[in-house]
Amino acid sequence: MSRNLNAKIVIIGSGISGIAAADRLVKAGYNHVRILEATSRSGGRIKTGKLGDSIVEIGANWIHGPSEENPIFCLARKYGLLDPEALTPENQAIDIGGHPPWTSNVFSSSGQKLNVEDYSPALEMFAELLNESAEFQNQKGEPCASVGDFIRAEVKQKAAEKWKDVDPATRSLQLCVISNMLKVECCVNGSHSMDEVGLGAFGQYKTLPGLDCTFPRGYEGLIKNLMSELPDGLVTYNRPVRCVHWNNALKGENPVTVQCDDGEKIVADHVIVTVPLGYLKKHHSTLFQPPLPLHKLHSIHRLGFGTNNKIFVEFDEPWWDPDCEVIYLVWEDEESMVDQVPDVQRSWIKKLFGFTVLKPTERYGHLLCGWIAGHESEYMETLSEQDVTHDVTQLVRRFTGNPTITPRRTLRSQWFHDIWTCGSYSHIGKGCSEQDLDNMMEPLPPKGSQSQPLQVLFAGEATHPCYFSTVHGALLTGLREADRLISHYSSVNPSKLPMSKL
Ligand code: 6YU
């Protein structure tokens, strides 16, 4: 195939995956590349905001696994966006397996601050079972359909052996801690419940070494730097795409036509679709003409895409220890190991697992980030700021036993009601396998078709086989699809293009 630098390439979405694809193509010499973005900004789920004087992340928070293999870490380092500690070889070498060893404070619903020995047996058991949950990959079968079912069954069995001589109150508390841990995992996975996270392919997600770090001046700094390297005018903002008409060449026209909401029709040789899985789930039937092939549709349905929201809460004084990095809130009536609340409207707040502490204090003051996943989180989005603040205040007063604590201000994210995202990020759904992730990234027309190849390509976090749900995963998918086109047209091996050129 001859190199065709005049190929018309349209990228839908200006999140990190779309930007990475554009950057790679432009630097490879393609001169008809454009991005159509529905909103007025680039970055998508990378979104930095402010609460008072503090910079806060509404979307992505950390670089997961900041080390040499992580392209986000390499770019952030190149642009000088990280604190010096994050750059040290020691920091890069720490292998935490996705769960940073944070110093915790644990409070119970009767207003007690628990001692480590009160809750550590449950934490240890949970961590062990979570590791085991990732080991059914490539095995002949798994004992249960979901991670939630597996953990509950195993805890019951192990508790009967290990905690048989423990007094009932202590034993019940351990089970309540397990409920809290399940809620934490709902946030990590972006799922409503761990009962909806598939066990068989749970081990598909891979972590990188490095202790998770943040961007002291905001994650969006990365987007600004990347955008400054792209030609002016490459992104058209406020231009939602309504429909991608593919296989047009059969009618003697250009292979693809992109129809925008405002009626404009843009012809292209290739379209790279980077819209979130949540958006795809909701709009696939109108977004593609002809419709997506059945195997791709089934994978879109099987993969999970849930909501994880943040509620930032600022206080005048800390009510946690100076070294505390995470606060867990344990409900003492949850010994049945639940991660869903029975009555969402009345008790949505029980789903909030607790808070991470924004550090260092000199930068953020006394600022916490609350985490809440699932349908309870989606309901929270419908409440007024005042109602959310009221419920969070009552929660903190109850768990600390201090009826006077009052937040100075709050701010929450609303990812489910963001019409261009429809949730937060993807996870392995029940019944999912590696094949589903392969199907997600398969271009159109599918293999074996006689029509013009690579008309529609798919990037975005939900199309990465093992780094789905992350910023680095999303970036790598953009590069992958750009490279697919480059190698389609060129004899030059795209892997020879240095990463530093990005
Ligand atoms: C990470 C983190 N992080 C917290 C929260 C969220 C996410 N992630 P984009 O959506 O960015 O871009 C698509 C664009 O398309 C967008 O601009 C749209 O407007 C546009 N669009 C849509 N429809 C369109 C149309 N019709 N026409 C035109 N344009 C259209 N990742 O690395 N660290 O700390 C977090 C977190 C609250 C919401 C995160 C984190 C996820 C990333 O933000 C996300 O993957 C990428 O930004 C997506 O980029 P993109 O380009 O694909 O889409 C075992 C096991 C466990 C598995 N999971 C463990 C990992 C945990 C992940 N953790 C995340 C945690 C947090 C806290």
Side-chain angles (χ1 to χ4, degrees):
M1 189 71 59
S2 68
R3 192 160 153 85
N4 183 359
L5 297 176
N6 288 320
K8 288 196 182 70
I9 304 170
V10 171
I11 298 167
I12 304 176
S14 195
I16 190 77
S17 59
I19 295 169
D23 194 273
R24 185 72 125 211
L25 289 165
V26 167
K27 284 177 181 158
Y30 287 80
N31 42 45
H32 290 288
V33 179
R34 64 183 294 192
I35 300 182
L36 303 176
E37 166 56 46
T39 69
S40 58
R41 55 179 284 279
S42 283
R45 282 170 274 173
I46 296 178
K47 189 175 183 184
T48 304
K50 273 201 127 185
L51 180 62
D53 291 334
S54 297
I55 289 170
V56 291
E57 301 296 357
I58 310 297
N61 219 68
W62 295 281
I63 302 181
H64 291 307
S67 51
E68 291 301 334
E69 247 187 273
N70 186 327
I72 298 297
F73 171 72
C74 296
L75 285 169
R77 178 175 58 186
K78 174 178 126 181
Y79 295 132
L81 300 175
L82 301 178
D83 276 332
E85 307 88 77
L87 301 172
T88 61
E90 295 74 34
N91 202 84
Q92 291 179 53
I94 298 172
D95 206 345
I96 51 154
H99 287 81
W102 288 328
T103 304
S104 55
N105 281 181
V106 183
F107 293 86
S108 72
S109 49
S110 57
Q112 313 291 313
K113 182 160 173 286
L114 304 181
N115 296 316
V116 182
E117 44 296 359
D118 296 335
Y119 59 83
S120 58
L123 288 193
E124 280 160 26
M125 187 183 285
F126 192 86
E128 235 170 73
L129 291 173
L130 205 57
N131 285 338
E132 283 179 33
S133 302
E135 284 166 12
F136 295 102
Q137 189 77 358
N138 306 323
Q139 287 192 15
K140 284 232 166 60
E142 57 276 0
C144 322
S146 76
V147 175
D149 288 341
F150 174 70
I151 289 185
R152 250 192 305 277
E154 288 291 307
V155 170
K156 275 187 195 142
Q157 201 186 330
K158 285 184 194 277
E161 294 157 19
K162 281 195 172 180
W163 301 335
K164 64 176 186 305
D165 300 324
V166 171
D167 70 274
T170 310
R171 198 182 149 103
S172 155
L173 183 68
Q174 301 308 311
L175 299 176
C176 296
V177 173
I178 300 283
S179 295
N180 180 264
M181 291 295 113
L182 286 168
K183 294 178 205 169
V184 173
E185 280 311 303
C186 290
C187 290
V188 171
N189 287 272
S191 61
H192 168 56
S193 161
M194 290 309 286
D195 299 358
E196 293 179 3
V197 177
L199 183 61
F202 188 60
Q204 184 76 21
Y205 180 80
K206 296 283 176 284
T207 58
L208 291 167
L211 186 60
D212 293 4
C213 66
T214 55
F215 289 74
R217 293 182 298 283
Y219 227 125
E220 262 193 56
L222 176 71
I223 300 296
K224 295 216 166 73
N225 275 281
L226 287 171
M227 293 305 293
S228 72
E229 296 191 15
L230 287 176
D232 282 346
L234 186 123
V235 184
T236 309
Y237 292 104
N238 302 307
R239 189 64 59 93
V241 167
R242 176 169 297 172
C243 185
V244 177
H245 299 267
W246 56 289
N247 257 351
N248 289 344
L250 299 177
K251 299 176 223 147
E253 299 167 16
N254 277 76
V256 198
T257 306
V258 177
Q259 184 191 346
C260 300
D261 256 6
D262 63 4
E264 193 191 349
K265 286 187 176 166
I266 300 164
V267 292
D269 295 298
H270 311 281
V271 173
I272 304 180
V273 176
T274 77
V275 302
L277 175 60
Y279 185 89
L280 262 190
K281 277 179 183 278
K282 204 166 168 184
H283 299 290
H284 64 80
S285 63
T286 48
L287 192 59
F288 298 97
Q289 193 51 247
L292 296 175
L294 270 183
H295 65 284
K296 206 170 178 83
L297 275 181
H298 286 152
S299 296
I300 289 172
H301 290 311
R302 262 194 299 269
L303 274 168
F305 192 84
T307 305
N308 178 21
N309 274 309
K310 306 174 181 186
I311 308 177
F312 293 97
V313 198
E314 193 186 359
F315 296 91
D316 291 328
E317 295 298 330
W319 44 268
W320 52 93
D321 294 341
D323 64 344
C324 172
E325 294 169 293
V326 60
I327 298 167
Y328 297 117
L329 304 178
V330 175
W331 289 87
E332 284 161 306
D333 60 351
E334 289 187 343
E335 60 277 324
S336 54
M337 297 188 278
V338 284
D339 59 12
Q340 306 168 59
V341 308
D343 177 349
V344 172
Q345 301 196 356
R346 266 190 36 182
S347 47
W348 65 271
I349 194 96
K350 288 182 82 176
K351 186 64 168 275
L352 188 135
F353 81 69
F355 304 92
T356 47
V357 184
L358 275 77
K359 301 260 182 173
T361 309
E362 308 80 63
R363 187 177 289 155
Y364 296 103
H366 308 300
L367 182 51
L368 300 181
C369 176
W371 296 88
I372 178 163
H375 302 326
E376 297 84 346
S377 188
E378 292 159 9
Y379 175 73
M380 178 279 291
E381 292 186 21
T382 65
L383 299 175
S384 66
E385 291 270 355
Q386 291 89 319
D387 285 346
V388 173
T389 304
H390 173 266
D391 288 2
V392 171
T393 306
Q394 297 308 316
L395 178 84
V396 171
R397 289 179 177 175
R398 175 176 184 155
F399 277 77
T400 55
N402 178 343
T404 65
I405 295 182
T406 306
R408 192 191 281 176
R409 51 190 149 216
T410 65
L411 177 73
R412 46 77 194 264
S413 60
Q414 291 168 296
W415 286 104
F416 182 68
H417 288 90
D418 180 314
I419 58 169
W420 308 112
T421 313
C422 314
S424 298
Y425 40 89
S426 58
H427 60 264
I428 296 291
K430 272 206 286 195
C432 264
S433 72
E434 205 177 342
Q435 185 62 51
D436 290 308
L437 290 148
D438 287 348
N439 291 347
M440 288 297 296
M441 72 175 96
E442 191 192 15
L444 298 175
K447 279 186 218 100
S449 160
Q450 299 300 310
S451 357
Q452 178 148 339
L454 304 187
Q455 296 177 35
V456 187
L457 302 95
F458 293 84
E461 57 86 9
T463 73
H464 197 282
C466 56
Y467 302 141
F468 52 85
S469 78
T470 67
V471 174
H472 56 282
L475 176 131
L476 289 168
T477 65
L479 298 182
R480 179 191 68 211
E481 296 310 316
D483 286 348
R484 202 193 289 274
L485 283 177
I486 294 167
S487 51
H488 170 71
Y489 279 118
S490 156
S491 49
V492 177
N493 181 351
S495 68
K496 300 248 164 67
L497 282 173
M499 176 59 84
S500 62
K501 277 203 136 185
L502 187 94

